[in-house]
Amino acid sequence: MGSRDSTPRCDRAELVELLGRTLGSAAAAEVVDREGKRLGLKDASMPLDTAYAVLDALAAMPGVIGTAASVARTELRVAAVRRRLGQRHRR
């Protein structure tokens, strides 16, 4: 996650990793790719808000996918806050 500009970013691989902890890598990659395609995403890196949108859409699904996405969204948010605080500390 991250880039040199001011817009925080998230890589597809990070979403797959977060979801993969519960769903397994193959299933996580499949649901992230499917939702990314539905949202018209083409790049492996996306703005953080778009990553949240992907996870929000998945969280609306019933069962384990929805639960895993809800947890992944929280983990992504915590990671983003930690990174932002770390950047402030280095200044």
Side-chain angles (χ1 to χ4, degrees):
M1 181 172 121
S3 70
R4 292 186 186 264
D5 68 12
S6 62
T7 304
R9 299 190 67 81
C10 178
D11 292 331
R12 173 198 168 276
E14 187 172 6
L15 292 182
V16 171
E17 180 183 338
L18 290 170
L19 288 167
R21 295 174 188 169
T22 303
L23 303 177
S25 312
E30 181 182 330
V31 297
V32 167
D33 289 346
R34 185 175 56 224
E35 192 57 32
K37 185 175 183 178
R38 190 185 74 74
L39 293 173
L41 302 177
K42 294 179 174 93
D43 296 329
S45 179
M46 65 196 84
L48 193 55
D49 289 342
T50 302
Y52 291 142
V54 169
L55 292 174
D56 287 344
L58 294 174
M61 297 178 77
V64 70
I65 292 174
T67 302
S70 294
V71 171
R73 190 187 196 290
T74 300
E75 291 177 335
L76 183 61
R77 179 73 180 141
V78 169
V81 169
R82 284 185 176 152
R83 287 180 184 124
R84 192 170 53 236
L85 290 173
Q87 290 171 348
R88 285 184 188 166
H89 181 70
R90 284 184 241 138
R91 290 182 188 169

